[in-house]
Amino acid sequence: YYFPCQRWLAVEEDDGQIARELVPVDEAFVKKDSENDGQSPATLGLEQKAKSTTYTVKVKTGDKKNAGTDANVFIILYGSKDDTGIVSLKASKINKNKFERGKVDEFTVESVDIGDLKKIKIGHDNKGNSTGWFLEWVEIDAPSLGQCLKFPCGRWLDKSEDDGATERIIFPAELQTVEYIPFVPYEITVYTSDIFGAGTDADVFIVLYGSDGICTQQKSLCLNKREQRMYFERNSVNQFIVELEDVGDIIEKIRIGHRGGGLNSGWHLDRVTIRRLLPNGK
């Protein structure tokens, strides 16, 4: 069995996860790479993405005295087919100090396909100076499933409050479930030119346009400023797997640019290639 990864396991890199579920790939992919016939391991990205689901998890800490926690928070997502196992919520995309009173934190959780989301378990390890936590709600958005679910809690996870539990199983509020057309993964490869000053540290974004006026949202290719500094260097090739609205079989045009700012914002773009999985998995 071959389990390629090619991803960071680091709080400050990629999506902030320090554990990953990997799916096996066909031996032919690995052999092609070893024979050096032009099959890059990176081309596995789209195939692997099709077998996994990315969830955006938002967590709201209540606006009560001592509601925030310094303990290590974890979550488990339970689906109709499987569960994610314990996922540590380490790197909030919004706040440096996470789980503070009245704040919403956002995390990325990636997992193999667990089916329809049925319930979650969320809790903490009760370690640190201020461990008690008042959890208002959890919201989980799964673009590839076309679902956004709300899990109301409104209770303490505290050994000295409520029933003394530090973890809870929560079910989604059916009336607050939002359904939309599922997103699909696109593999976007960006080639920066080989001329002086070609690279940029700016926030690069892309929009895809299909037929009949359909287009995607404007999506940043980098997750954070650290990635902006790492990518889009002179004469570089950078590949991104991005979940976006399905614009259909034909991409009529794209809009790509950056938001300026910083010392080295000017960018000389050579070309962009885009591919997506067709519905039959090819």
Side-chain angles (χ1 to χ4, degrees):
Y1 293 86
Y2 296 89
F3 296 89
C5 183
Q6 297 162 20
R7 299 277 301 274
W8 285 98
L9 285 79
V11 172
E12 69 279 0
E13 299 281 4
D14 202 335
D15 58 9
Q17 292 301 318
I18 55 173
R20 298 199 179 280
E21 288 191 348
L22 304 179
V23 291
V25 301
D26 193 296
E27 184 179 355
F29 277 110
V30 180
K31 286 190 172 175
K32 278 183 182 178
D33 180 48
S34 63
E35 289 164 9
N36 213 3
D37 67 353
Q39 171 73 47
S40 160
T43 60
L44 292 170
L46 202 56
E47 284 78 7
Q48 287 186 297
K49 185 68 178 174
K51 296 177 184 178
S52 67
T53 305
T54 300
Y55 302 92
T56 297
V57 179
K58 291 184 178 178
V59 180
K60 171 71 184 292
T61 299
D63 190 8
K64 291 176 176 284
K65 186 179 180 183
N66 300 323
T69 185
D70 295 330
N72 298 303
V73 174
F74 69 87
I75 193 170
I76 304 172
L77 278 54
Y78 295 90
S80 54
K81 299 178 185 174
D82 201 353
D83 66 72
T84 60
I86 293 175
V87 178
S88 297
L89 299 181
K90 290 278 188 184
S92 172
K93 290 184 173 182
I94 302 174
N95 305 305
K96 190 170 183 181
N97 292 324
K98 53 192 183 292
F99 310 122
E100 295 290 306
R101 174 178 174 173
K103 296 289 182 68
V104 175
D105 292 287
E106 184 178 312
F107 305 87
T108 300
V109 173
E110 194 172 279
S111 163
V112 296
D113 182 15
I114 62 171
D116 293 333
L117 194 52
K118 297 296 185 183
K119 64 180 180 181
I120 63 171
K121 179 188 281 188
I122 188 166
H124 61 78
D125 62 2
N126 205 44
K127 292 182 180 176
N129 294 325
S130 178
T131 58
W133 185 34
F134 190 89
L135 172 61
E136 196 70 57
W137 49 255
V138 177
E139 183 183 276
I140 300 180
D141 188 14
S144 63
L145 301 178
Q147 272 196 334
C148 184
L149 296 93
K150 194 77 166 271
F151 295 80
C153 180
R155 295 183 69 179
W156 286 97
L157 285 76
D158 188 340
K159 286 202 167 179
S160 58
E161 296 279 358
D162 203 332
D163 60 0
T166 57
E167 58 183 52
R168 298 200 181 279
I169 291 175
I170 316 173
F171 294 87
E174 287 186 23
L175 293 177
Q176 295 184 59
T177 297
V178 177
E179 300 206 0
Y180 53 92
I181 298 172
F183 285 24
V184 296
Y186 290 89
E187 183 183 88
I188 299 171
T189 308
V190 180
Y191 298 80
T192 299
S193 304
D194 186 15
I195 64 173
F196 179 75
T200 183
D201 291 337
D203 182 12
V204 173
F205 62 81
I206 194 166
V207 182
L208 312 186
Y209 294 84
S211 54
D212 302 322
I214 300 171
C215 71
T216 69
Q217 62 183 285
Q218 182 171 297
K219 179 78 171 181
S220 292
L221 294 177
C222 293
L223 294 172
N224 51 48
K225 285 194 163 102
R226 184 184 176 87
E227 287 192 358
Q228 288 171 213
R229 292 192 297 269
M230 287 170 55
Y231 300 143
F232 312 119
E233 296 295 304
R234 174 179 174 172
N235 196 31
S236 66
V237 180
N238 301 118
Q239 194 168 67
F240 307 89
I241 306 291
V242 182
E243 285 184 331
L244 290 167
E245 295 91 340
D246 188 353
V247 298
D249 295 335
I250 298 172
I251 299 177
E252 293 199 338
K253 65 178 180 178
I254 68 170
R255 187 163 71 92
I256 188 167
H258 62 75
R259 293 179 172 84
L263 296 173
N264 305 303
S265 62
W267 185 33
H268 199 285
L269 172 63
D270 183 54
R271 67 190 189 277
V272 179
T273 63
I274 298 175
R275 75 180 184 114
R276 57 157 287 196
L277 283 184
L278 297 175
N280 62 4
K282 294 183 179 178

